Amino acid sequence: MKAQIKPRIELEGRTPLQEVIPLETPFVLFVDPANTCNFRCKFCPTGNRELIRGTGRKQGLLDFGVYEKLIGDLQEFSEPIKVLRLYKEGEPLLHPDFPRMVKLAKASGKVLKVDTTTNGALLRPALVDSIIEAGLDRINISVDGLSSAQFEEFARAKVDFDEFLRNIRYLHENKGDCEICIKTPGDNLSEDDKKRFFDLFGDLADRIFLENFAPCWPEFEFDGLEMDFARGIYGQPIREVSVCPYIFYSMAVNSDGTVSLCFLDWARKLPVGDVRTQSVRSIWLGESMNEHRRAHLEGKRKANPVCADCGQLSHCMPDDIDPYMSELRKRF
């Protein structure tokens, strides 16, 4: 197997947040090209159409003009953003201008890397060629089945698995400098299926990993899946923190141009701005963002019902700035 068994997240060599925040420029900016999906996965809020309709959240694509304005806004930052993450709630490859989005970000001089997360079902040679030519730095592929039947059961989508595998192979053969990370939830897989996953994809990726399911989405219960959530998403012990580190180095632009406090705000209950009428920098440094940051540093995270119900901070948490709460409060 050529791939490293390594999670998609960088767990080693992370910048100690307590040494650098507050940040004048975010490390990561999530931008959602599409908040709809061709899959209806049981573990994802977007897959539950009735639930989404109940929130009043409109399904659709990010207007390319809004995206161009957003990229232009990045010139106001003194430093480039480390990662522009073209992904939040839906399947980003549904956007017909996805390659143009990558190319525009790379040409801006204000983005060091562009990455995305996809279910991979829409990858075809022509699209792969366009994405690679545009300069995508990393693609994270979520494999939601090891056969057409498993895709239909778990993702509630019809996928020709043989074609899916051929397209992933084509991507690997023509990836250039793009890093390929392939992962699948291992909770429901037999030992034989786990071995088959590594056998099928181990030579088609730079990184490969079996993740655990995690109750990361606030105010959402998995649709028809029973999990004990005994371990974190990367197999780490479960622990909880008082302060969310994400809001100190990232924020998320939704497909309608509104901005959410974090990438887990699927129900749009944590608005902090709107890139259609405000600059990205003014939102990042604005009072709405800082109000949330101060609340967390004062130990009031759970006073917000959305943040209180977030399983990301117990099952997926890469950073811990709790020991520095007192010191960091003075900086805000």
Side-chain angles (χ1 to χ4, degrees), residues 29 31 64-77 81 84 86 100-111 114 275 280:
L29 182 65
V31 178
F64 193 78
V66 173
Y67 179 76
E68 287 181 303
K69 187 261 182 189
L70 180 158
I71 295 299
D73 285 351
L74 301 184
Q75 297 299 325
E76 296 181 5
F77 288 110
I81 288 172
L84 180 73
L86 291 174
R100 287 178 64 202
M101 289 180 163
V102 175
K103 187 174 183 178
L104 188 64
K106 295 288 288 186
S108 71
K110 284 295 184 176
V111 175
V114 180
V275 297
V280 175

Side-chain angles (χ1 to χ4, degrees), residues 97-296:
D97 289 318
F98 182 85
R100 287 178 64 202
M101 289 180 163
V102 175
K103 187 174 183 178
L104 188 64
K106 295 288 288 186
S108 71
K110 284 295 184 176
V111 175
L112 296 183
K113 291 187 177 181
V114 180
D115 72 16
T116 193
T117 296
T118 173
N119 58 42
L122 297 176
L123 288 172
R124 299 291 187 276
L127 180 57
V128 167
D129 292 343
S130 297
I131 291 171
I132 298 303
E133 183 181 357
L136 187 69
D137 293 287
R138 177 193 279 190
I139 184 167
N140 303 303
I141 302 174
S142 301
V143 175
D144 295 317
L146 296 178
S147 67
S148 297
Q150 285 187 4
F151 267 100
E152 191 158 4
E153 163 62 23
F154 183 66
R156 293 181 286 205
K158 292 188 180 298
V159 174
D160 182 327
F161 186 75
D162 291 336
E163 182 183 19
F164 176 83
L165 195 59
R166 284 195 301 272
N167 290 329
I168 302 299
R169 184 174 292 111
Y170 182 88
L171 170 65
H172 183 262
E173 292 171 351
N174 297 276
K175 72 186 188 71
D177 295 328
C178 181
E179 183 181 27
I180 301 174
C181 304
I182 296 181
K183 52 93 173 178
T184 194
D187 305 67
N188 287 342
L189 295 182
S190 66
E191 292 305 313
D192 286 344
D193 272 346
K194 290 177 183 178
K195 181 180 183 304
R196 185 163 178 260
F197 169 69
F198 286 112
D199 289 343
L200 286 172
F201 296 100
D203 288 336
L204 305 181
D206 299 292
R207 299 187 188 198
I208 192 167
F209 203 73
L210 286 172
E211 292 185 352
N212 296 324
F213 281 121
C216 55
W217 301 103
E219 302 179 325
F220 172 73
E221 295 183 6
F222 284 14
D223 189 2
L225 293 175
E226 294 184 7
M227 300 291 167
D228 59 8
F229 302 123
R231 303 285 293 179
I233 190 172
Y234 308 116
Q236 78 276 25
I238 295 170
R239 62 189 180 94
E240 191 167 326
V241 299
S242 295
V243 183
C244 172
Y246 296 104
I247 63 176
F248 292 89
Y249 69 83
S250 69
M251 67 180 184
V253 180
N254 299 309
S255 61
D256 61 358
T258 60
V259 181
S260 286
L261 179 67
C262 80
F263 64 98
L264 294 158
D265 182 27
W266 63 272
R268 311 285 170 82
K269 292 185 177 181
L270 299 171
V272 292
D274 191 325
V275 297
R276 293 170 294 186
T277 57
Q278 299 168 270
S279 73
V280 175
R281 184 176 184 273
S282 69
I283 299 170
W284 173 251
L285 299 176
E287 180 56 26
S288 187
M289 284 291 294
N290 281 332
E291 183 180 357
H292 285 285
R293 292 165 179 148
R294 286 194 295 267
H296 281 231

